[in-house]
Amino acid sequence: MSLTLYYHPLSSFCHKVLIALYENETPFTPHLVDFGDEAANRRYLEMWPPRKIPVLRDEARDRMVPESSIIIEYLQQHYPGKMRLIPDDGDAARQVRFRDRFYDFYVHAPMQKIIGDRLRPAGKNDPFGVEEARTMMRRALGMIDREMGRKTWSMGDTFTMADCAAAPALFYANTITPLAEKHPNAAAYLERLKQRPSYARALVEAEPYFNMIPQ
């Protein structure tokens, strides 16, 4: 099999790529990355020294493709399926990329800052940075809530890469601040995303690791 995905089932950015793979039933070999076992993952760590996941390895083209959005673009270009997650129309494609970046930068990144701070050793926490992240996430969720009151998916009726980004960002944000309390439209959108077969599958695969999420 040409494609190997270096990933972890609990990783939110890996969920984003898994959704894209499952939407198009793209064959791939999953390679679980355990950063606690460097010996078992030596090839991956040598291949991508920043030690971030996911990374896609395409043996047929001898390509290593990091970063979730770039992976999805690469898959659409070289392994297209029934779902066009990035529209062919230039204006629509730009809107999809904007929404993808919005979820990654304004929901996903702050969410990871908040959860990541819980893993820091005692005395090494960053309360100011966490409060900044909470403020950013609240603002973003307010914008999402207003927008999703009139749409099914991020771009309207069509499922796109923006929804691949939204699903894990909102899922993990919901573990920090339950969306239904102040953002009912965003909460309803999350429920639609969770019911999408591609994301439902990713969540089932992640379930055995949920106890690792810091509270």
Side-chain angles (χ1 to χ4, degrees):
M1 192 172 296
S2 178
L3 300 177
T4 298
L5 183 70
Y6 292 84
Y7 86 120
H8 192 282
L10 197 60
S11 164
S12 48
F13 279 110
C14 293
H15 285 193
K16 178 176 165 181
V17 172
L18 288 171
I19 293 168
L21 288 164
Y22 294 156
E23 283 287 331
N24 279 311
E25 301 178 352
T26 306
F28 72 99
T29 300
H31 183 105
L32 191 147
V33 175
D34 177 3
F35 290 108
D37 188 350
E38 294 201 6
N41 292 282
R42 183 173 292 112
R43 182 171 184 266
Y44 165 75
L45 297 172
E46 292 173 352
M47 181 175 66
W48 189 236
R51 301 186 174 206
K52 297 289 187 179
I53 49 177
V55 169
L56 185 74
R57 173 68 185 169
D58 185 351
E59 295 292 344
R61 291 178 171 80
D62 192 22
R63 294 285 178 85
M64 185 272 296
V65 188
E67 299 298 329
S68 57
S69 300
I70 303 303
I71 292 172
I72 293 172
E73 295 237 17
Y74 183 87
L75 289 169
Q76 178 154 305
Q77 180 181 358
H78 296 291
Y79 296 89
K82 61 183 179 180
M83 291 289 297
R84 298 290 292 176
L85 295 172
I86 304 163
D88 294 324
D89 177 78
D91 288 336
R94 185 174 62 253
Q95 285 296 314
V96 167
R97 291 185 178 99
F98 161 71
R99 287 174 165 81
D100 169 76
R101 298 291 77 205
F102 181 91
Y103 277 100
D104 279 2
F105 290 148
Y106 304 134
V107 182
H108 219 141
M111 171 273 293
Q112 288 195 328
K113 170 66 177 178
I114 296 165
I115 292 180
D117 194 74
R118 298 171 181 173
L119 294 171
R120 289 188 171 199
K124 299 293 184 179
N125 299 96
D126 179 15
F128 180 77
V130 167
E131 187 53 39
E132 281 191 319
R134 287 186 181 277
T135 298
M136 176 62 74
M137 197 169 70
R138 281 195 297 268
R139 291 171 179 167
L141 290 174
M143 294 173 67
I144 294 164
D145 196 65
R146 289 190 292 274
E147 185 175 77
M148 294 312 299
R150 59 182 185 275
K151 296 191 298 185
T152 301
W153 306 116
S154 185
M155 286 290 289
D157 295 329
T158 304
F159 192 91
T160 67
M161 179 172 69
D163 301 293
C164 297
L170 292 176
F171 177 82
Y172 283 103
N174 190 57
T175 68
I176 298 169
T177 303
L179 299 179
E181 292 179 4
K182 294 184 178 179
H183 305 102
N185 295 325
Y189 176 37
L190 173 58
E191 287 306 310
R192 291 193 294 275
L193 290 164
K194 288 164 60 179
Q195 291 170 20
R196 186 91 177 179
S198 57
Y199 194 39
R201 178 177 173 181
L203 288 175
V204 167
E205 292 169 353
E207 191 171 353
Y209 302 91
F210 282 160
N211 65 330
M212 296 171 62
I213 301 174
Q215 302 298 317

